[in-house]
Amino acid sequence: MKLVILACLAAVAVAAPQFVDLPPVVILRDDRQDSGDGNFQYAFEADNGIAVEASGTPGSAGQSNMQGVFRFPLPDGTIAEVRYIANEDGFQPESSLLPTAHPLPAHAIEQIRFAEEQRALGITYDQFGFRSNRK
């Protein structure tokens, strides 16, 4: 039993995070403006290649409408960039880094077309999958 406890303690010691001394990051730019009425703007840049810019205005439903961009270095040395808008329609990022949906296969497009055709004719189905027509 003592051997099991000793082995567990050794495993915990080996699995403990190893802290690496990273060099400090120097902030090159930190500009902030807030008018107090919901309008704001900020820009931030660090010497490690990270940069953020954003501006915002009050939205019609009480939210903050924002638009901005953030950049960061990739391991290969190139700079990644993500532009975004955030408003009542949600967060909408744009970047070549983001995955895109695969195109639908032909049979799926045909099924969608067929379902739209049936819907236009008023054909519906109940919860058991049986056809029921609207009156």
Side-chain angles (χ1 to χ4, degrees):
M1 181 66 170
K2 292 179 183 178
L3 183 60
V4 172
I5 293 173
L6 184 61
C8 289
L9 288 174
V12 168
V14 170
Q18 305 297 316
F19 295 101
V20 178
D21 289 329
L22 296 174
V25 176
V26 177
I27 306 303
L28 303 175
R29 177 177 167 205
D30 187 3
D31 298 329
R32 299 167 192 257
Q33 295 176 355
D34 186 352
S35 62
D37 61 357
N39 293 298
F40 65 90
Q41 191 171 359
Y42 64 85
F44 171 87
E45 188 175 351
D47 71 344
N48 62 358
I50 296 174
V52 179
E53 295 178 27
S55 62
T57 57
S60 60
Q63 81 284 354
S64 289
N65 290 339
M66 295 176 58
Q67 62 182 4
V69 60
F70 56 91
R71 297 175 192 89
F72 54 94
L74 296 173
D76 66 2
T78 61
I79 301 294
E81 180 175 284
V82 178
R83 295 189 170 279
Y84 66 91
I85 295 174
N87 56 23
E88 58 274 350
D89 296 324
F91 182 71
Q92 305 156 46
E94 292 180 8
S95 174
S96 61
L97 298 172
L98 298 174
T100 57
H102 295 288
L104 290 174
H107 71 276
I109 294 171
E110 174 58 23
Q111 288 175 334
I112 292 169
R113 186 205 57 77
F114 183 70
E116 288 171 350
E117 183 180 294
Q118 287 185 327
R119 196 173 300 118
L121 293 172
I123 299 171
T124 60
Y125 295 88
D126 64 15
Q127 70 270 20
F128 302 107
F130 295 104
R131 183 175 169 171
S132 62
N133 293 331
R134 287 190 212 163
K135 306 232 177 199

